[in-house]
Amino acid sequence: MKNLFALCALAIVLVGCSGGDAAKSESPTDKPGGSAASESKQITVAMLPKKKGVPYFTSCSEGAMEAAKELGNVELIYDGPTSGDAADAVKLIDQWTAQGVDVIAVSPNDPAVLGPAMKRACDAGIKVLTWDADADAANREFLVNQATPEEIGNSLVDAMAKDLGGDSATGEVAIVTASLTAANQNEWIKFMKVRLEKYPGLKLIATKPSNEDQKLAFSVTQDLMKVYPNLKGVFAISSVAFPGAAEAVKQAGKAGKVLVTGLSTPNDMKTYVKEDVVKSVILWNTKDLGYLTVFAARELVDGKLKAGSTTVAAGRLGEKKVVGDNVMLGGTITFNKENIDQFDF
Amino acid sequence: MKTFRWSRELTLIVLLVCLMGAASVLEPKFVTVRAQTLLATHLWELALVAIPMLLIVITAGIDLSVGSMVALSAVSFGLMFERNVPPVVAVALTVVIGTLLGGLNGWFVTKMKVHPLLVTLATLAAYRGMAEGISTARAISGYPDWLLSALQGPTPVVIFVLAALGTHLVMTRTYFGRWVLAIGTEENVSRFSRIPVDRVKLWLYGFSGLICGIAAILLVARNNTAKADMASGLELDAITAVVLGGASIHGGKGRVTGLVLGLILIHETREFVSWHWKQNELNLVVIGSLLILTVLLENIAEIRKNRKPQPVNPAPAKS
């Protein structure tokens, strides 16, 4: 019984201290209206990666920090689940909502799970952006889009063709994708197929899923090489499938004979590039993606980025296009033996 | 007046008051009703699951499969919903499924005489695997709004308060509660004293499954998604809360009041750390330190108490 009393006493203490502060903290949460005076106002931008501590997102965060420093009036919070667990991401969004930050920029690892929390943030008057990957458009104002599926599809096919001998490249090629239902990858494949028509010598013979499993990507690539002895190239178009496919080619001793290309960060693929298993690694500029996200957040609070905007000013990147509710970063970079050492992420 | 006795509950309250005091200075917004309500939404599945965990730990057992039971129940709920089973029926069936999963653990523990650690370690993997298998690892979403809103907000709080209060009363007022404590203290003696040891344990593991079924539904409603990788690591959080709340992992000791305080302390610490330092990964370190700090504080109090002048026992005469 004594313990029950103790519990009640505690409850009173907790309620007591929270009640006292509630009144005080309601007032400073009001948001700027977008007037010129608000431009110098310090804002807080919370940036959520799919998973914290992976090189890809760390390099995005470096760009974001650079932008925050350059602007001088943006406090940047970069935090995310180290486990990649969507439920942890929800907790963080709710926490930022409770703190009353100005902008939450989300790279959703599971849009369905994060949706309700993003909506709660919107309802609390916080500006919500997505970057790197999209969520339900109703729960965010803009997507900071790294590259269009068309650009990615074209870059992949062009890089493969170039590495196999330019416009007259010939040979059988195959795609190892994430899963057959992965939305991003399917979009890319659609545009890859269109682009492949430009190179009549290249024949797409198979598209195999690897279900975001490096071991499966490894064995799928082994099978492809067995079934199609004339295979010249493999597009491994998920960051997990890429090293798996490259490892399969390397272990089969076919480095240089079967080329692997795909999307990844340079550090993950550096060894394969040096061993000639991989000639080109395609990616958008991750630092610029983080950089642009912070600028977009600032412009959004200042009211300069709003529905109907066609451009957004993004510091050293100059003017960036806005298409509909997408802020476009645009452009891909290709890492190869010559330049890959200059990148460290 | 009764002599003052230090208890785990007091330690936890002292720590909590310190924490909230520090929080109100460092982060005034943290100690507002608005922030606390928003932050509390993520606590209830863990809080619920920790209740049967407490009882099982008191019997010197353990249930490592809670996270997987939640996931398998959640996925079952999602699949039933997808096949147009009326939501109310699906909710009821999910709770039944959870209970059966827990019951199976209990059956292995009591009838097959396998140590609960092994049984639930096996089902931790097996149930999770089944959840991934039957759902083919995809997310099942699209529940009707009325269902989602009915299962959020005050609903989980009410369920938790009822479960905690009920368990507290059972543990302090009934034979069943005394049996649970007796089994954990000395299982063989309990058997000789005609306590239905196996039946009590079967009930407890079944109860754990039942609560996991309920937690699964709440979790699905909150996330609007059923997915096989939900609630992973839940068992560790639940065990941490139970131990922090003063239960002995060797059995025979533990109270619902301590558990509730342990839960609040873990929750507030975690939220505050991630709020103030904005480093999500710090959490794990802090929870570990918290566990050690609590035990230390108590040991110090214990040592102080023992240092008070006590009747000196004459040393045994040398022969």
Side-chain angles (χ1 to χ4, degrees), chain A residues 2-3 6-7 10 14 17-18 21 25 52 77 79-81 90-91 94-95 97-99 110 112-113, chain B residues 5 9 13 16 20 29 31-32 34 38 42 223 225 227 255 257 261 271 274-275 278-281:
Chain A
K2 189 185 82 182
N3 292 317
L7 213 65
L10 176 84
L14 283 179
C17 68
S18 49
D21 283 290
S25 65
K52 195 180 178 187
I77 302 173
D79 203 1
V90 171
K91 275 189 204 170
D94 276 343
Q95 196 174 76
T97 306
Q99 290 184 16
D110 191 333
V113 176
Chain B
R5 259 187 65 229
E9 281 83 350
I13 289 176
L16 246 178
M20 294 317 266
K29 259 194 209 172
V31 279
T32 57
R34 183 174 162 271
L38 203 60
H42 305 287
N223 288 329
T225 304
K227 222 171 149 221
R255 280 186 298 264
T257 43
L261 286 166
E271 295 295 345
S274 125
W275 180 300
K278 300 175 176 68
Q279 298 287 329
N280 204 25
E281 55 271 29

Side-chain angles (χ1 to χ4, degrees), chain A residues 50 56-57 106-111 130-135 140 143-154 156 175-193 207 212 236-239 263 283-284 289 326:
Chain A
K50 282 185 187 165
Y56 171 81
F57 283 108
V106 183
S107 170
N109 44 17
D110 191 333
T130 48
W131 61 285
D132 176 66
D134 205 4
R140 54 100 176 130
L143 162 69
V144 181
N145 196 337
Q146 59 270 46
T148 59
E150 190 175 359
E151 279 177 319
I152 291 171
N154 290 353
L156 283 166
I175 298 175
V176 178
T177 181
S179 69
L180 292 177
T181 53
N184 274 350
Q185 272 80 0
N186 282 349
E187 277 292 294
W188 301 340
I189 291 173
K190 199 172 87 192
F191 287 107
M192 285 168 74
K193 284 181 178 160
T207 303
E212 291 291 322
I237 58 173
S238 94
S239 61
L263 297 159
L283 199 68
W284 43 89
L289 177 60
N326 278 227

